[in-house]
Amino acid sequence: MKNNYCVIMAGGIGSRFWPFSRNNRPKQFLDFFGTGRSLLQMTFDRFSKFVPAENILIVSNMLYKDMILEQLPAIKPDQILLEPTRRNTAPCIAYAVHRIKAMTDKANIIVTPADHLILKENEFQKAILKGLEFIETHDNLLTLGMKPNRPETGYGYIQLADGDGDLRKVVTFTEKPNLEMAKVFVQSGEFYWNSGMFLWNLQTIEQAFQNLLPELYQKFVQRPEVFNTPQEQEYINEVFPSCHNISIDYGIMEKADNVYVLTAEFGWSDLGTWGSLYDLAEKDEHQNVTLQCKAQYYESEGNIVTLEPDKLVVLDNLSGYIVAESANVLLICKKENEQRIRQFVADVQVNHEEKFI
């Protein structure tokens, strides 16, 4: 267990959950279901079962350092890797890999977003333990694959090689296809969703960066002696903004020839959109979802409604809508148009003050 490390990526702003998710408190810091634990806290709890607390690193934006320390008192300030600017998942992971390399020469690394929901924790634990066992003895990059139940355009897709068992070689790795392609993938039965959770050993992922993203790799090897020292932040502030904005999926997983997938079923959702939250939440007899607030519905069905906890909303003859209020913003949007929310946020940024973002 002492060789197990976990990197939790917690720097996103969750703009598809606006206005619930805001710049000053993104979705990973929110308690969506009233459990008393935020998505970040639930993620930490989940992985601390097989990774020592001191081996868990949180990569985030400088804005969120105090919030992370407040929510995760079990970690020390130097376990938070602070990005001076957002540069997607490949630079984020490269930074974490070089920090871990400065701490140890032998590590099994789990990489996970901070905002996933897992409903079957026991099944999840079995899958992770099997994955850790695999990467300890194989120089492969491993991703967790989920069987798709709809043609989702917001996920990456993994095509599996022929064979039996839940550990298979990856044939192709396709990031976020269009709707027509997603339909083909789901109908074929050969494709799984990429969960965005990865496992690999230190040497394998370092080699992958060296071979497939050499320019990015070079940014972090110029001064290896600064990692895990007080000089690290200054160095990161200097080199990180010049890193290419690229995801680990595009930069490495699609190009590498040593990628395997572990297929599993543990009630996974990346909670990326209002629609995914609606699918998971408890519904009334008319398929309406009410979160945090109180609501009365008249001839209304299939809505998701969330306001401040002490508020009441009355809906009359409204079906298939998102009604979400947070602080100074009220959003009313058809569920089927939720992919436009990012555009709404961009337009608000141009036309109004920063306080609405």
Side-chain angles (χ1 to χ4, degrees), residues 40 89 112 130 145 151 154 164 175 229 241 248 252 257 268 309 333 348:
L40 172 63
T89 52
T112 179
K130 183 166 185 172
D164 297 316
E175 178 68 353
T229 75
I248 196 76
I252 287 182
D257 59 6
W268 169 85
C333 168
V348 168

Side-chain angles (χ1 to χ4, degrees), residues 140-294:
N140 295 113
L141 306 169
L142 184 65
T143 179
L144 295 183
M146 309 289 115
K147 194 167 183 61
N149 56 16
R150 64 183 186 278
E152 171 63 59
T153 59
Y155 298 161
Y157 285 73
I158 307 160
Q159 185 181 18
L160 276 57
D162 291 337
D164 297 316
D166 52 8
L167 255 172
R168 312 253 286 276
K169 199 168 193 315
V170 170
V171 178
T172 57
F173 203 105
T174 306
E175 178 68 353
K176 296 179 181 173
N178 61 34
L179 184 59
E180 289 311 305
M181 190 61 76
K183 285 177 180 173
V184 171
F185 286 172
V186 174
Q187 285 163 5
S188 76
E190 296 173 17
F191 288 80
Y192 278 66
W193 283 333
N194 166 29
S195 69
M197 287 182 272
F198 306 104
L199 296 92
W200 38 54
N201 64 51
L202 178 60
Q203 286 72 26
T204 303
I205 188 59
E206 190 183 10
Q207 194 68 54
F209 273 111
Q210 199 171 351
N211 295 345
L212 301 172
L213 288 173
E215 217 175 287
L216 178 61
Y217 178 75
Q218 285 304 318
K219 302 266 185 200
F220 294 93
V221 294
Q222 292 162 21
R223 292 181 60 202
E225 74 281 359
V226 304
F227 285 96
N228 208 27
T229 75
Q231 287 74 50
E232 177 182 301
Q233 191 65 59
E234 187 184 344
Y235 179 61
I236 290 301
N237 291 350
E238 183 188 316
V239 301
F240 204 86
S242 65
C243 290
H244 186 40
N245 189 325
I246 189 168
S247 72
I248 196 76
D249 309 85
Y250 281 123
I252 287 182
M253 303 305 281
E254 285 191 12
K255 298 175 188 169
D257 59 6
N258 61 335
V259 181
Y260 273 69
V261 63
L262 175 61
T263 60
E265 175 48 59
F266 42 71
W268 169 85
S269 171
D270 81 335
L271 275 189
T273 63
W274 286 108
S276 61
L277 182 58
Y278 174 82
D279 290 342
L280 289 161
E282 195 176 319
K283 300 168 185 65
D284 68 12
E285 67 272 26
H286 298 293
Q287 300 301 296
N288 293 304
V289 168
T290 309
L291 296 170
Q292 312 277 6
C293 63
K294 294 178 172 61

